[in-house]
Structures are given as C-alpha cells and as structure tokens.
C-alpha cells in the first residue's frame, strides 16, 4: 500500500560514543511509533519491543496494526547479510512504519544495499516510512541513503576523511566539524537553509 505521506529518513553519523544511539533512543523514538522495527546490531534496544532472532518470528509479530520488534541479527556476516535483506523486505511489505537500522556499515556498502532498503530509501514516498540509520563512518554507508536523508546529524568524527564527506553533506566548512565533543552535533534538515548545532541532553547527569 502506498500513500502520499513523505518519507522521513534520518542519517545519524559519528564515532563510537558520540551519541548516535542515545539520540535514537532519547529523541527519535521518544514518542513510541505505533509500528516499529529495530535492527539491533549491538543488542541494546530490548526495551523498545519484542526481541527476535529469526525472521519468521518477525513476520508473525508484525501482522497486526501495531507492533514493536527488535531484531538481533547474527554475528556471522554471511547470515547477517541475508537476514538484513529479509528484514528490509518485511519492512517494505508492511509499510507505514518506523525502521531503525543501527550500524549500517555492517549491512550496506557505499555502492550496494539490499533492493528493499534501496526501494525504501530511494523511492522516497513509500508508505509514510520513517527510517533511521546510524554509522560510525559515512564512507561505509550506501551513498543513496545519505543523499536522500531528510535529516543528517553528525557528531564527533574520528577520521579526517570523514570530516570532508560530512562537510560536503552538510554544506558546511570542515572546520565546523572538527573538535566536536561527545553528544555534540551539527545537523541539517532538508528544506531548511541553515544547519543547527547543539549537545544532546542526557537525563539526570547534570547537563539536561
Ligand atoms: N539512554 C541513555 N541515557 C543516558 N545516557 C546514555 C543513554 N544512551 C547512551 N548514553 C550515554 O551517551 C554516550 C554516547 O553513547 P551512545 O551509545 O549513544 O554512542 P554511539 O554513538 O551510539 O556509539 P557506538 O557507535 O559505539 O554505538 C555514552 O556516554 C553513553 O553512556
Ligand atoms: Mg550506538
């Protein structure tokens, strides 16, 4: 089923510990979506839905109008690759949902991603989807995803090459991205002229 609702595509990039997952959990998923599928590579989203390790369970659990599933994929790369393909096909078939994919670099490459992932991130207007993908490094993520993102959020980066890629995506000076601290970010929303910057507020540690 397709609708005219535009897709929301969030690309969350930054080095380990920069605050990507904290952003996803504390802000992006703050209002729990009615239909949620999480690709939980690091096994840290158990609070967000029913944990599954196999796609047939995921198919069953996403049959209703509302669902929240947290797929914990295999650590074996070959198995994980086809698991991700099926995960994306399922998300595409269900439509009208929020899909979180943590650590995109483990399942996509700069010039390759599963067809269903490309359908959701490239055709743009499929079923009102909200897609959130995270990666420590931009160069390892498929370029179409980054190019089609409606929000690009960048935290502390660990490599000079990443600074260049992210500055291009954010249309900003590379110097703006050097020296970001953990939880600090610069982001660009599609349709907005100016980037915004800030620091993610964590609950109960004095910086909220
Ligand atoms: N729900 C939370 N509440 C409070 N603090 C959190 C929460 N989630 C993460 N943090 C803290 O925020 C900081 C950033 O961690 P986070 O897991 O977001 O990094 P990350 O960018 O996802 O790193 P990685 O690439 O290794 O997954 C850490 O200091 C972590 O302890
Ligand atoms: Mg993380």
């Amino acid at each position: 089923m397709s609708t005219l609702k535009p897709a929301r595509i969030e690309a969350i990039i930054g080095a380990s510990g920069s605050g990507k997952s904290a952003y996803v959990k504390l802000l992006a998923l703050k209002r729990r979506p009615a239909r949620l599928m999480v690709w939980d590579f690091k096994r840290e989203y158990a609070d967000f839905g029913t944990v599954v390790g196999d796609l047939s369970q995921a198919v069953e659990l996403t049959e209703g109008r509302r669902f929240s599933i947290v797929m914990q994929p295999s650590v074996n790369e070959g198995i994980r690759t086809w698991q991700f393909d099926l995960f994306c096909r399922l998300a595409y078939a269900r439509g009208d949902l929020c899909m979180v994919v943590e650590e995109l670099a483990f399942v996509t490459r700069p010039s390759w991603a599963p067809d269903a992932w490309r359908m959701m991130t490239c055709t743009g207007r499929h079923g009102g989807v909200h897609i959130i993908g995270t990666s420590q490094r931009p160069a390892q993520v498929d370029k179409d995803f980054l190019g089609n993102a409606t929000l690009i959020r960048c935290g502390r980066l660990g490599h000079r090459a990443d600074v260049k890629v992210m500055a291009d995506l954010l249309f900003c000076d590379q110097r703006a991205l050097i020296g970001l601290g953990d939880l600090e970010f610069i982001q660009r929303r599609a349709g907005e002229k100016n980037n915004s910057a800030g620091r993610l507020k964590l609950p109960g540690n004095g910086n909220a």
Side-chain angles (χ1 to χ4, degrees):
M1 182 187 76
S2 69
T3 78
L4 292 177
K5 274 194 284 179
R8 279 173 66 195
I9 301 177
E10 303 189 39
I12 315 301
I13 310 294
S16 182
S18 61
K20 300 182 300 297
S21 301
Y23 163 77
V24 176
K25 294 176 200 165
L26 296 170
L27 290 185
L29 299 181
K30 187 173 182 183
R31 290 177 56 205
R32 296 289 174 103
R35 297 156 69 84
L36 174 67
M37 289 176 64
V38 181
W39 178 262
D40 184 13
F41 186 65
K42 289 192 170 163
R43 284 123 170 88
E44 54 180 332
Y45 282 83
D47 291 346
F48 286 79
T50 307
V51 174
V52 298
D54 126 15
L55 267 304
S56 59
Q57 283 177 285
V59 170
E60 271 177 41
L61 290 166
T62 55
E63 272 167 359
R65 214 161 50 84
R66 302 175 67 91
F67 51 79
S68 299
I69 63 145
V70 175
M71 171 73 192
Q72 296 187 341
S74 172
V75 291
N76 176 286
E77 188 178 359
I79 296 173
R80 189 171 63 239
T81 299
W82 64 255
Q83 283 180 327
F84 187 63
D85 181 44
L86 290 176
F87 182 84
C88 292
R89 286 190 208 198
L90 179 60
Y92 183 69
R94 297 296 186 224
D96 192 18
L97 48 65
C98 176
M99 171 167 67
V100 175
V101 177
E102 280 275 5
E103 305 295 345
L104 268 171
F106 285 86
V107 282
T108 69
R109 292 197 286 277
S111 53
W112 178 87
D115 288 342
W117 172 259
R118 288 174 50 74
M119 288 295 284
M120 292 177 80
T121 55
C122 294
T123 57
R125 292 177 182 268
H126 169 74
V129 289
H130 177 192
I131 299 170
I132 305 164
T134 75
S135 180
Q136 294 179 357
R137 303 198 61 190
Q140 294 164 342
V141 175
D142 78 291
K143 290 196 178 79
D144 289 328
F145 169 71
L146 292 172
N148 289 324
T150 54
L151 172 79
I152 295 178
R153 182 174 168 113
C154 178
R156 177 176 58 76
L157 296 167
H159 299 260
R160 186 193 289 256
D162 295 348
V163 170
K164 182 172 180 344
V165 174
M166 292 312 297
D168 285 348
L169 284 165
L170 290 163
F171 302 149
C172 74
D173 196 290
Q174 293 182 28
R175 281 173 295 191
L177 299 176
I178 296 169
L180 290 176
D182 282 342
L183 305 177
E184 291 181 341
F185 66 89
I186 294 180
Q187 67 182 24
R188 180 167 77 82
R189 281 185 196 282
E192 288 183 9
K193 261 195 180 145
N194 298 314
N195 293 344
S196 58
R199 185 172 199 277
L200 179 67
K201 295 174 176 57
L202 296 177
N205 70 352
N207 67 357

